[in-house]
Amino acid sequence: MIEIVELELENFKSFHKKTKIPFKSGFNVIVGMNGTGKSNIISAIKFVLIPNEFDTNVRYITYNENYTKVSAIIRTDENKTKKITKYSDGMNFRYFIDDREVSLSEYKSTIALFQILGTRLIDSIDFLNMDNSIEKEILKASKLNQYIVVSLKNLQSIDEAIEVLKDEDKYSKIKLLKDKKA
């Protein structure tokens, strides 16, 4: 299974401070109130793992900052990890694999298999209830693929979730919830 092990955000949209987000194999749920930055996590994954996704007409650098950097540590099907990083100053992009700067073509080549076989992103399901047939199908499919799902409410029967909150400076921060039962 090709999957995201960790996402690291720096000055990406509502994530002002350097923020690390761990993911587990299978089913991952991101919860939080409206406007806390849940969808920004999905956007960050697309930013780093889909070249050209944010290359024009999108405000992705945190207000009052002059760059953004998003890294994804991915586990390959050979059970090795790679750190994939995309950096932007708003005008230019730089690409890194394992902290070594590479060309866009080498970057695209490295993430090509991930784009086909990697993590499935769902933004957003209004509720998660494991008695519901849609959620049961996602949970069953997550045995074969990693899923990252944004949910607004009614979190039920989830062992672990990532909660997005606003800190005192109105920027997003992450809290890992364990054994969350609604």
Side-chain angles (χ1 to χ4, degrees):
M1 179 186 309
I2 298 174
E3 61 189 6
I4 300 171
V5 176
E6 184 176 79
L7 190 67
E8 189 175 286
L9 312 172
E10 191 171 338
N11 298 329
F12 188 85
K13 293 190 172 196
S14 60
F15 291 91
H16 176 66
K17 298 173 184 168
K18 194 173 195 179
T19 305
K20 291 185 177 188
I21 305 166
F23 293 104
K24 60 181 183 164
S25 293
F27 194 63
N28 291 266
V29 180
I30 302 169
V31 298
M33 302 294 290
N34 282 336
T36 54
K38 299 178 305 296
S39 293
N40 290 344
I41 295 170
I42 299 292
S43 293
I45 293 168
K46 290 178 179 179
F47 177 84
V48 71
L49 292 173
I50 302 174
N52 309 325
E53 176 75 13
F54 284 82
D55 290 358
T56 58
N57 300 322
V58 175
R59 177 81 182 136
Y60 46 83
I61 299 175
T62 302
Y63 181 72
N64 278 342
E65 296 295 338
N66 57 11
Y67 76 95
T68 189
K69 184 168 97 172
V70 178
S71 298
I73 298 171
I74 59 173
R75 184 176 296 122
T76 65
D77 51 354
E78 297 94 25
N79 207 24
K80 296 178 182 172
T81 59
K82 284 191 178 292
K83 183 177 181 181
I84 309 297
T85 302
K86 183 176 180 181
Y87 170 94
S88 175
D89 61 10
M91 301 283 288
N92 302 297
F93 294 91
R94 295 171 63 196
Y95 305 93
F96 300 84
I97 299 170
D98 293 329
D99 297 321
R100 178 181 59 86
E101 191 162 4
V102 297
S103 68
L104 177 57
S105 62
E106 185 177 345
Y107 186 83
K108 284 181 177 181
S109 174
T110 301
I111 63 173
L113 191 59
F114 182 87
Q115 290 176 305
I116 297 167
L117 301 175
T119 302
R120 308 300 193 254
L121 306 173
I122 301 176
D123 181 16
S124 87
I125 291 179
D126 287 335
F127 62 91
L128 284 171
N129 178 342
M130 289 310 148
D131 294 330
N132 184 305
S133 62
I134 295 170
E135 285 77 15
K136 278 185 177 177
E137 288 303 312
I138 293 170
L139 195 58
K140 189 172 16 172
S142 71
K143 303 282 189 260
L144 302 173
N145 290 297
Q146 182 184 45
Y147 276 75
I148 298 176
V149 178
V150 170
S151 179
L152 294 175
K153 55 187 175 181
N154 295 338
L155 185 65
Q156 295 184 6
S157 303
I158 300 296
D159 296 329
E160 185 176 291
I162 297 161
E163 184 175 21
V164 185
L165 308 160
K166 289 287 187 183
D167 70 11
E168 63 279 356
D169 295 323
K170 306 272 192 281
Y171 293 104
S172 298
K173 66 179 184 177
I174 299 298
K175 177 181 176 185
L176 196 60
L177 301 174
K178 299 272 190 185
D179 300 321
K180 174 74 174 159
K181 308 283 186 214

